[in-house]
């Protein structure tokens, strides 16, 4: 599928570069770039042959030639830019976590609905082909009922309290940075949003969540455990347990392979779908299909559920960011 719309990127960090590369892999290119540091935007545009660089970020929102804006600035800036982009009539794909909390997201969703726009979180899990392949088999009843899942995501970040991972002023912490993946995985497979939630937290010296655990249960009695850490390495591993089998996915944020172990005799089956390297290509394609009105491929309803869970966890802990005080 070739790129159909004119995209502008707000932010030119690691994700911005991946976006530009994905656009070119799809046979297109970003139309424009904006960044808080203008010189970086100029350098970025030169690297990828992008024709337009905005002197001020606000100019992006007022450009009549822009169809879709990809926002990849720090979490705590998202709502400010979402307000401006949506009010100006732009479709938005926003890097995760899409906002700081449920209340900001509620405001953005309302704005998008008022202006008849597509608002979505750039959550790879909702777009990687392996997840659709598994859902088809689950819906067909191949594995029997889902009973529980376990999700791990841990990285070892050195203690640099100015780094965004630990920086409270940059909305650091495990929940918004990596918990969003684990909870999106859980929501993708659960029959409904968990209604019961219990959590524990350990804080970094800056007051953000360095480590967290969660227990979840929904109305269908499906359960999940989630373990997150920014200072203890764990495999990115998701496991789903059904009556007839259990399913494991490694490196699940951009997973492309699942291993099924059948309960009755222990034999294994492998499913491969999609490619990790094309993660942003799948996001771009699904966003464009949704903007074109084919059907909703973006799962904003799941994003809302996940944000509600993350907000509830932080409320239980009493942890707030400066913007929330």
């Amino acid at each position: 599928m070739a790129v159909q719309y004119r995209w502008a990127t707000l932010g030119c960090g690691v994700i911005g570069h991946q976006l530009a590369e994905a656009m070119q892999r799809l046979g297109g290119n970003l139309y424009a770039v904006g960044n808080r540091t203008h010189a970086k935007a100029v350098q970025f545009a030169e690297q990828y042959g992008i024709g337009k660089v905005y002197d001020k970020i606000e100019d992006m929102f007022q450009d009549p030639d822009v169809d879709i804006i990809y926002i990849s600035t720090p979490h705590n800036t998202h709502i400010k830019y979402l307000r401006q982009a949506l009010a100006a009539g732009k479709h938005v794909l926003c890097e995760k976590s899409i906002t700081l909390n449920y209340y900001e997201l509620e405001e953005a969703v309302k704005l998008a609905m008022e202006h008849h726009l597509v608002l979505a979180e750039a959550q790879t899990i909702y777009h990687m082909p392996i997840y659709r392949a598994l859902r088809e088999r689950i819906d067909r009843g191949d594995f029997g009922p889902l009973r529980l899942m376990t999700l791990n995501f841990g990285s070892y970040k050195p203690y640099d309290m100015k780094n965004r991972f630990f920086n409270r002023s940059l909305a650091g912490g495990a929940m918004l940075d990596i918990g969003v993946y684990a909870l999106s995985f859980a929501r993708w497979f659960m029959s409904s949003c968990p209604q019961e939630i219990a959590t524990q937290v350990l804080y970094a010296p800056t007051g953000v969540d360095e480590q967290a655990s969660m227990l979840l249960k929904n109305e269908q009695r499906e359960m999940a455990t989630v373990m997150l850490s920014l200072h203890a390495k764990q495999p990115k591993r998701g496991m789903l347990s059904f009556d007839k089998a259990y399913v494991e996915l490694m490196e699940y944020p951009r997973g492309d392979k699942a291993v099924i172990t059948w309960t009755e005799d222990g034999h294994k089956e492998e499913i491969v779908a999609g490619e990790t390297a094309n993660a942003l290509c799948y996001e771009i394609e699904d966003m464009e299909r949704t903007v074109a009105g084919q059907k909703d491929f973006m799962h904003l309803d799941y994003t809302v559920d996940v944000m509600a869970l993350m907000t509830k966890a932080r409320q239980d802990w009493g942890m707030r960011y400066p913007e929330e005080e």
Side-chain angles (χ1 to χ4, degrees):
M1 173 181 161
V3 177
Q4 305 290 320
Y5 293 94
R6 286 167 300 211
W7 290 66
T9 181
L10 174 46
C12 47
V14 172
I15 295 293
H17 285 274
Q18 291 179 1
L19 177 71
E21 290 161 6
M23 284 280 174
Q24 292 181 347
R25 207 173 295 142
L26 290 169
N29 203 356
L30 284 164
Y31 164 74
V33 56
N35 194 65
R36 288 173 297 172
T37 306
H38 185 258
K40 285 186 179 178
V42 171
Q43 185 180 10
F44 184 90
E46 288 172 354
Q47 181 175 348
Y48 294 103
I50 298 165
K52 189 169 234 181
V53 179
Y54 298 104
D55 293 330
K56 302 194 304 290
I57 285 173
E58 289 69 26
D59 294 342
M60 176 183 294
F61 308 125
Q62 301 308 319
D63 185 345
D65 293 326
V66 170
D67 300 311
I68 304 171
I69 295 175
Y70 192 112
I71 297 173
S72 61
T73 55
H75 302 144
N76 56 334
T77 64
H78 288 177
I79 188 60
K80 170 187 171 184
Y81 296 134
L82 286 171
R83 286 175 184 137
Q84 294 177 73
L86 294 167
K90 307 302 181 188
H91 302 287
V92 180
L93 183 57
C94 186
E95 193 48 41
K96 68 206 88 64
S97 108
I98 191 168
T99 53
L100 284 187
N101 56 53
Y102 178 82
Y103 310 103
E104 289 183 353
L105 180 54
E106 192 175 40
E107 178 189 345
V109 170
K110 186 179 177 185
L111 257 178
M113 290 176 68
E114 285 174 0
H115 294 272
H116 307 289
L117 297 165
V118 176
L119 167 66
E121 183 177 61
Q123 177 51 260
T124 49
I125 284 168
Y126 301 153
H127 309 289
M128 297 301 295
I130 190 66
Y131 287 95
R132 288 179 183 158
L134 282 172
R135 272 279 286 269
E136 285 175 13
R137 296 201 54 182
I138 292 166
D139 292 346
R140 211 164 59 212
D142 288 9
F143 311 134
L146 174 64
R147 300 301 182 184
L148 61 89
M149 64 183 84
T150 57
L151 291 153
N152 298 80
F153 195 138
S155 54
Y156 184 82
K157 307 294 183 190
Y159 269 147
D160 175 1
M161 293 305 158
K162 294 178 182 176
N163 186 294
R164 73 171 183 87
F165 297 109
F166 297 109
N167 190 329
R168 188 167 169 267
S169 297
L170 293 176
M175 185 63 74
L176 291 189
D177 195 72
I178 59 179
V180 66
Y181 286 111
L183 291 171
S184 296
F185 182 111
R187 185 63 193 91
W188 178 261
F189 290 110
M190 279 183 149
S191 303
S192 64
C193 186
Q195 300 300 310
E196 296 181 40
I197 172 172
T199 67
Q200 291 181 316
V201 64
L202 288 176
Y203 292 109
T206 51
V208 302
D209 54 312
E210 173 187 311
Q211 200 158 284
S213 63
M214 306 177 75
L215 296 173
L216 308 169
K217 187 169 81 170
N218 65 8
E219 291 177 3
Q220 290 79 16
R221 298 167 60 85
E222 299 163 346
M223 301 177 73
T225 67
V226 177
M227 186 64 75
L228 310 169
S229 180
L230 290 177
H231 198 61
K233 185 67 177 173
Q234 296 182 88
K236 300 181 186 74
R237 175 177 176 265
M239 187 185 74
L240 302 152
S241 295
F242 302 86
D243 273 9
K244 299 178 183 177
Y246 64 87
V247 181
E248 293 175 282
L249 292 94
M250 301 301 291
E251 300 297 322
Y252 63 81
R254 297 188 179 188
D256 55 15
K257 183 174 78 170
V259 177
I260 302 161
T261 302
W262 293 92
T263 306
E264 189 174 12
D265 59 7
H267 85 272
K268 295 184 184 296
E269 175 189 348
E270 194 173 279
I271 304 176
V272 178
E275 293 181 33
T276 295
N278 288 332
L280 267 73
C281 294
Y282 303 132
E283 287 184 357
I284 292 165
E285 289 175 329
D286 280 351
M287 184 69 177
E288 293 207 342
R289 289 187 187 109
T290 305
V291 169
Q294 293 181 25
K295 75 172 198 178
D296 179 12
F297 291 93
M298 302 312 292
H299 304 286
L300 181 61
D301 54 341
Y302 288 0
T303 295
V304 170
D305 286 348
V306 168
M307 183 54 67
L309 291 170
M310 294 196 297
T311 301
K312 172 70 165 62
R314 288 200 299 111
Q315 285 174 339
D316 289 349
W317 304 338
M319 179 188 147
R320 291 179 165 189
Y321 293 109
E323 293 83 358
E324 298 171 318
E325 292 175 342

